[in-house]
Amino acid sequence: MVSENKPANAPRVLVVEDEPAIRELVTRVFARADYIVDSAADGQEALDKLAGDPGYSVVVLDLTMPRRSGFDVIEALKHEHPDGLKGVIVTTALDRKLRQSDRTVVCGIVRKPFDLADLKKRVQACLDRCVPE
């Protein structure tokens, strides 16, 4: 977890991305923006981290990953953490639509390739007020 010299009340973000370069870049960007950041390489690792530490504010979640997909993570969050976090920002290259029931935890969708400034803006908007697209 990247948290050195961060205030205790800093927002906590979990970045879930199977592509190492993207995961590392997004993690670094949020850490430099004064978030406390953790990362997971796939959906199963994300679910393990969320089960062990429900204190994340936002999850930045890729949909297409090995072992457990982003859809699996969304489904688990709907049942296990319905009020435990502000929301999920989905990152995807897919045109596939989310189910209406997924919108209970999804705060926004960012299409890949994404602009990092836009991603940061959407995460902050999710923290401020979660409004699905």
Side-chain angles (χ1 to χ4, degrees), residues 80-127:
E80 297 169 21
H81 300 279
D83 300 317
L85 47 82
K86 298 264 185 176
V88 174
I89 301 292
V90 169
T91 61
T92 184
L94 300 175
D95 286 331
R96 190 170 160 193
K97 301 235 184 231
L98 294 173
R99 295 179 304 232
Q100 189 61 36
S101 64
D102 294 339
R103 302 260 177 186
T104 60
V105 296
V106 174
C107 191
I109 301 169
V110 178
R111 300 280 178 213
K112 289 181 175 179
F114 52 80
D115 176 74
L116 288 167
D118 181 50
L119 180 62
K120 282 175 46 180
K121 188 174 14 175
R122 289 183 184 247
V123 165
Q124 188 58 53
C126 187
L127 287 166

Side-chain angles (χ1 to χ4, degrees), residues 4 12 16 69 126 128:
E4 58 277 343
R12 296 188 59 217
V16 186
S69 73
C126 187
D128 294 341

Side-chain angles (χ1 to χ4, degrees), residues 13-99:
V13 176
L14 176 61
V15 176
V16 186
E17 170 63 58
D18 63 317
E19 183 61 44
I22 295 172
R23 183 176 61 249
E24 291 168 19
L25 177 63
V26 172
T27 298
R28 224 181 0 242
V29 164
F30 280 102
R32 287 184 183 152
D34 291 329
Y35 293 86
I36 298 171
V37 186
D38 200 0
S39 65
D42 60 46
Q44 184 59 57
E45 186 179 348
L47 290 171
D48 293 344
K49 288 185 179 213
L50 288 161
D53 185 356
Y56 295 102
S57 304
V58 174
V59 177
V60 176
L61 178 66
D62 184 17
L63 286 181
T64 308
M65 296 179 290
R67 293 202 301 162
R68 301 283 299 271
S69 73
F71 292 105
D72 294 334
V73 174
I74 289 169
E75 194 63 33
L77 287 172
K78 287 190 304 191
H79 299 290
E80 297 169 21
H81 300 279
D83 300 317
L85 47 82
K86 298 264 185 176
V88 174
I89 301 292
V90 169
T91 61
T92 184
L94 300 175
D95 286 331
R96 190 170 160 193
K97 301 235 184 231
L98 294 173
R99 295 179 304 232

